[in-house]
Coordinates of all heavy atoms in Angstrom, one line a residue:
E79 N -60.5 82.9 129.0 CA -59.2 82.6 128.6 C -58.8 81.2 129.2 O -59.3 80.8 130.3 CB -58.2 83.7 129.2 CG -58.4 85.0 128.5 CD -57.4 86.1 129.0 OE1 -56.6 85.7 129.9 OE2 -57.5 87.2 128.6
V80 N -57.9 80.6 128.5 CA -57.4 79.2 129.0 C -56.0 79.4 129.6 O -55.1 79.9 129.0 CB -57.3 78.3 127.8 CG1 -56.7 76.9 128.2 CG2 -58.7 78.0 127.2
D81 N -55.9 79.0 130.9 CA -54.6 78.9 131.5 C -54.2 77.5 131.6 O -54.5 76.7 132.5 CB -54.8 79.5 133.0 CG -53.4 79.6 133.7 OD1 -52.5 78.9 133.4 OD2 -53.3 80.5 134.6
W82 N -53.4 77.1 130.6 CA -53.1 75.7 130.4 C -52.2 75.1 131.6 O -52.4 74.0 132.0 CB -52.3 75.5 129.1 CG -52.0 74.0 128.8 CD1 -50.9 73.4 128.8 CD2 -53.0 73.0 128.4 NE1 -51.0 72.1 128.4 CE2 -52.3 71.8 128.2 CE3 -54.4 73.1 128.3 CZ2 -53.0 70.7 127.8 CZ3 -55.1 71.9 127.9 CH2 -54.4 70.7 127.7
E83 N -51.4 76.0 132.2 CA -50.6 75.6 133.3 C -51.5 75.2 134.5 O -51.3 74.2 135.2 CB -49.6 76.7 133.7 CG -48.6 76.2 134.8 CD -47.6 77.3 135.1 OE1 -47.5 78.3 134.3 OE2 -47.0 77.2 136.2
R84 N -52.5 76.0 134.7 CA -53.4 75.7 135.9 C -54.2 74.5 135.6 O -54.6 73.7 136.5 CB -54.3 76.9 136.1 CG -53.5 78.1 136.8 CD -54.4 79.3 137.0 NE -55.5 79.0 137.9 CZ -56.5 79.9 138.1 NH1 -56.6 81.0 137.4 NH2 -57.5 79.6 139.0
I85 N -54.6 74.3 134.3 CA -55.4 73.1 133.9 C -54.5 71.9 134.2 O -55.0 70.9 134.8 CB -55.8 73.2 132.5 CG1 -56.9 74.2 132.3 CG2 -56.2 71.8 131.9 CD1 -57.2 74.4 130.8
Q86 N -53.3 71.9 133.9 CA -52.4 70.7 134.1 C -52.2 70.5 135.6 O -52.1 69.4 136.1 CB -51.1 70.9 133.4 CG -51.1 70.8 131.9 CD -51.2 69.3 131.4 OE1 -51.9 68.5 132.1 NE2 -50.6 69.0 130.3
R87 N -52.1 71.6 136.4 CA -51.9 71.5 137.8 C -53.2 70.9 138.5 O -53.0 70.0 139.4 CB -51.6 72.9 138.5 CG -50.2 73.3 138.3 CD -49.8 74.3 139.5 NE -50.8 75.4 139.6 CZ -50.7 76.6 139.0 NH1 -49.6 76.8 138.1 NH2 -51.5 77.6 139.1
R88 N -54.3 71.3 138.0 CA -55.6 70.7 138.5 C -55.6 69.2 138.2 O -56.0 68.4 139.1 CB -56.8 71.4 138.0 CG -58.1 70.8 138.5 CD -59.3 71.4 137.9 NE -60.5 70.8 138.4 CZ -61.1 69.7 137.9 NH1 -60.5 69.1 136.9 NH2 -62.1 69.2 138.5
K89 N -55.3 68.9 137.0 CA -55.3 67.4 136.6 C -54.4 66.6 137.5 O -54.8 65.6 138.1 CB -54.8 67.3 135.2 CG -54.6 65.9 134.6 CD -53.6 65.8 133.5 CE -52.2 66.0 134.1 NZ -51.2 65.9 133.0
Q90 N -53.2 67.2 137.8 CA -52.2 66.4 138.6 C -52.7 66.4 140.1 O -52.5 65.4 140.8 CB -50.8 67.1 138.5 CG -49.7 66.2 139.1 CD -49.6 64.9 138.5 OE1 -49.6 64.8 137.2 NE2 -49.5 63.8 139.2
G91 N -53.4 67.4 140.5 CA -53.9 67.4 141.9 C -55.0 66.3 142.1 O -55.0 65.7 143.1
V92 N -55.8 66.1 141.1 CA -56.8 65.1 141.1 C -56.1 63.7 141.2 O -56.5 62.9 142.0 CB -57.7 65.1 139.9 CG1 -58.6 63.9 139.8 CG2 -58.6 66.4 139.9
V93 N -55.1 63.5 140.4 CA -54.4 62.3 140.3 C -53.7 62.0 141.7 O -53.8 60.9 142.3 CB -53.3 62.3 139.2 CG1 -52.4 61.1 139.3 CG2 -54.0 62.2 137.9
D94 N -53.0 63.0 142.2 CA -52.3 62.8 143.5 C -53.2 62.5 144.6 O -52.9 61.7 145.5 CB -51.5 64.1 143.8 CG -50.3 64.3 142.8 OD1 -50.0 63.4 142.1 OD2 -49.8 65.5 142.8
E95 N -54.4 63.2 144.7 CA -55.3 62.9 145.8 C -55.8 61.5 145.7 O -55.9 60.8 146.7 CB -56.4 64.0 145.7 CG -57.4 63.9 146.9 CD -58.4 65.0 146.9 OE1 -58.3 65.9 146.1 OE2 -59.3 64.9 147.8
L96 N -56.2 61.1 144.5 CA -56.7 59.7 144.4 C -55.6 58.7 144.7 O -55.9 57.6 145.3 CB -57.3 59.5 143.0 CG -58.6 60.2 142.7 CD1 -58.9 60.1 141.2 CD2 -59.7 59.7 143.5
S97 N -54.4 59.0 144.3 CA -53.3 58.1 144.6 C -53.1 57.9 146.1 O -52.8 56.8 146.6 CB -52.0 58.6 143.9 OG -50.9 57.7 144.1
R98 N -53.1 59.0 146.8 CA -53.0 58.9 148.3 C -54.1 58.1 148.8 O -53.9 57.3 149.8 CB -53.0 60.3 148.9 CG -51.7 61.1 148.6 CD -51.7 62.4 149.5 NE -52.7 63.3 149.1 CZ -52.5 64.3 148.2 NH1 -51.4 64.4 147.5 NH2 -53.5 65.1 147.9
G99 N -55.3 58.2 148.2 CA -56.5 57.4 148.7 C -56.2 55.9 148.5 O -56.5 55.1 149.4
V100 N -55.7 55.5 147.4 CA -55.4 54.1 147.1 C -54.3 53.6 148.1 O -54.5 52.5 148.7 CB -54.9 53.9 145.7 CG1 -54.3 52.5 145.5 CG2 -56.0 54.2 144.7
S101 N -53.3 54.4 148.3 CA -52.2 54.0 149.3 C -52.8 53.8 150.7 O -52.5 52.8 151.4 CB -51.1 55.0 149.3 OG -50.5 55.1 148.1
G102 N -53.7 54.7 151.1 CA -54.4 54.6 152.4 C -55.2 53.3 152.5 O -55.2 52.7 153.6

Side-chain angles (χ1 to χ4, degrees):
E79 296 183 0
V80 175
D81 186 332
W82 187 249
E83 184 179 343
R84 288 177 64 189
I85 286 172
Q86 288 283 36
R87 280 207 306 271
R88 178 183 180 276
K89 175 205 75 178
Q90 193 58 46
V92 170
V93 169
D94 291 345
E95 187 173 349
L96 289 171
S97 183
R98 288 192 294 271
V100 169
S101 298

